[in-house]
Coordinates of all heavy atoms in Angstrom, one line a residue:
A9 N -25.4 -20.9 -2.2 CA -24.9 -20.1 -3.3 C -24.4 -18.8 -2.7 O -23.3 -18.3 -3.1 CB -26.1 -19.7 -4.3
A10 N -25.1 -18.2 -1.7 CA -24.6 -16.9 -1.1 C -23.3 -17.2 -0.4 O -22.4 -16.3 -0.3 CB -25.7 -16.4 -0.1
A12 N -21.0 -19.4 -1.2 CA -19.9 -19.5 -2.3 C -19.5 -18.0 -2.7 O -18.3 -17.7 -2.9 CB -20.4 -20.3 -3.5
L13 N -20.5 -17.2 -2.8 CA -20.3 -15.8 -3.2 C -19.4 -15.1 -2.2 O -18.5 -14.3 -2.5 CB -21.6 -15.1 -3.4 CG -21.5 -13.7 -4.0 CD1 -21.0 -13.7 -5.4 CD2 -22.9 -13.0 -4.0
S14 N -19.7 -15.3 -0.9 CA -19.0 -14.7 0.2 C -17.5 -15.1 0.2 O -16.7 -14.4 0.8 CB -19.7 -14.9 1.5 OG -19.5 -16.3 1.9
R15 N -17.2 -16.2 -0.3 CA -15.8 -16.7 -0.3 C -15.0 -16.1 -1.5 O -13.8 -16.3 -1.5 CB -15.8 -18.3 -0.4 CG -16.2 -19.0 0.9 CD -15.8 -20.4 0.8 NE -16.4 -21.2 -0.3 CZ -17.5 -21.8 -0.2 NH1 -18.2 -21.9 0.9 NH2 -18.0 -22.5 -1.2
V16 N -15.6 -15.4 -2.4 CA -14.9 -14.8 -3.5 C -14.3 -13.5 -3.1 O -15.0 -12.6 -2.6 CB -15.9 -14.6 -4.7 CG1 -15.2 -13.9 -5.9 CG2 -16.5 -15.9 -5.2
V34 N -20.1 -10.8 -10.1 CA -20.2 -12.2 -9.8 C -21.6 -12.4 -9.2 O -22.1 -11.7 -8.3 CB -19.1 -12.6 -8.8 CG1 -19.2 -14.1 -8.5 CG2 -17.8 -12.3 -9.4
R35 N -22.3 -13.5 -9.7 CA -23.7 -13.7 -9.2 C -23.8 -15.2 -8.9 O -23.4 -16.1 -9.6 CB -24.6 -13.3 -10.4 CG -26.1 -13.5 -10.0 CD -27.0 -12.8 -11.1 NE -27.0 -11.4 -10.9 CZ -26.5 -10.5 -11.7 NH1 -25.9 -10.8 -12.8 NH2 -26.6 -9.2 -11.5
A36 N -24.5 -15.4 -7.8 CA -24.9 -16.8 -7.4 C -26.2 -17.0 -8.2 O -27.0 -16.1 -8.4 CB -25.2 -16.9 -6.0
A37 N -26.4 -18.3 -8.7 CA -27.6 -18.6 -9.5 C -28.9 -18.1 -8.8 O -29.2 -18.5 -7.7 CB -27.7 -20.1 -9.7
P40 N -27.9 -13.3 -4.9 CA -27.2 -12.0 -4.9 C -26.0 -11.9 -5.8 O -25.5 -12.9 -6.3 CB -26.8 -11.9 -3.4 CG -26.6 -13.3 -3.0 CD -27.7 -14.1 -3.7
T61 N -11.0 -16.2 -14.8 CA -11.8 -15.9 -13.6 C -13.2 -16.6 -13.8 O -13.7 -17.2 -12.8 CB -12.0 -14.4 -13.3 OG1 -10.7 -13.8 -13.3 CG2 -12.7 -14.2 -12.0
A62 N -13.8 -16.5 -14.9 CA -15.1 -17.1 -15.2 C -15.1 -18.6 -15.0 O -16.0 -19.2 -14.4 CB -15.7 -16.7 -16.6
E63 N -14.0 -19.2 -15.5 CA -13.8 -20.6 -15.3 C -13.7 -21.0 -13.9 O -14.3 -22.0 -13.5 CB -12.5 -21.0 -16.1 CG -12.5 -22.3 -16.8 CD -11.3 -22.4 -17.7 OE1 -10.2 -22.8 -17.1 OE2 -11.3 -22.1 -18.9
E64 N -12.9 -20.3 -13.1 CA -12.7 -20.6 -11.7 C -14.0 -20.4 -10.9 O -14.4 -21.3 -10.1 CB -11.7 -19.6 -11.1 CG -10.3 -19.9 -11.6 CD -9.3 -18.8 -11.2 OE1 -9.7 -17.8 -10.6 OE2 -8.1 -18.9 -11.6
L65 N -14.8 -19.4 -11.3 CA -16.1 -19.1 -10.6 C -17.1 -20.2 -10.9 O -17.9 -20.6 -10.1 CB -16.6 -17.8 -10.9 CG -15.8 -16.6 -10.4 CD1 -16.2 -15.3 -11.0 CD2 -15.9 -16.5 -8.9
A66 N -17.1 -20.6 -12.2 CA -18.1 -21.7 -12.6 C -17.9 -23.0 -11.8 O -18.9 -23.6 -11.5 CB -17.9 -21.9 -14.1
Q67 N -16.6 -23.3 -11.5 CA -16.4 -24.5 -10.7 C -17.0 -24.4 -9.3 O -17.2 -25.4 -8.6 CB -14.9 -24.7 -10.6 CG -14.3 -25.1 -11.9 CD -12.7 -25.0 -11.9 OE1 -12.1 -24.8 -10.9 NE2 -12.1 -25.3 -13.0
Q68 N -17.3 -23.1 -8.8 CA -17.9 -22.9 -7.5 C -19.4 -22.6 -7.7 O -20.1 -22.2 -6.8 CB -17.3 -21.7 -6.8 CG -15.8 -21.9 -6.6 CD -15.2 -20.5 -6.2 OE1 -15.6 -19.8 -5.4 NE2 -14.1 -20.2 -6.9
G69 N -19.9 -22.8 -9.0 CA -21.4 -22.6 -9.2 C -21.8 -21.2 -9.3 O -22.9 -20.9 -9.1
L70 N -20.8 -20.3 -9.7 CA -21.1 -18.9 -9.8 C -20.9 -18.4 -11.2 O -20.1 -19.0 -12.0 CB -20.1 -18.1 -8.9 CG -20.3 -18.4 -7.4 CD1 -19.1 -17.7 -6.6 CD2 -21.6 -17.9 -6.8
D71 N -21.7 -17.4 -11.6 CA -21.6 -16.8 -12.9 C -20.9 -15.4 -12.8 O -21.0 -14.9 -11.7 CB -23.0 -16.6 -13.6 CG -23.6 -17.9 -14.0 OD1 -22.9 -18.7 -14.5 OD2 -24.8 -18.0 -13.9
C72 N -20.4 -14.9 -13.9 CA -19.9 -13.6 -13.8 C -20.1 -12.9 -15.2 O -20.1 -13.6 -16.2 CB -18.5 -13.4 -13.4 SG -17.2 -14.0 -14.5

Side-chain angles (χ1 to χ4, degrees):
L13 188 65
S14 70
R15 287 196 301 267
V16 176
V34 180
R35 183 169 281 114
T61 306
E63 217 170 85
E64 291 166 0
L65 292 168
Q67 292 168 1
Q68 301 165 50
L70 299 169
D71 288 325
C72 70

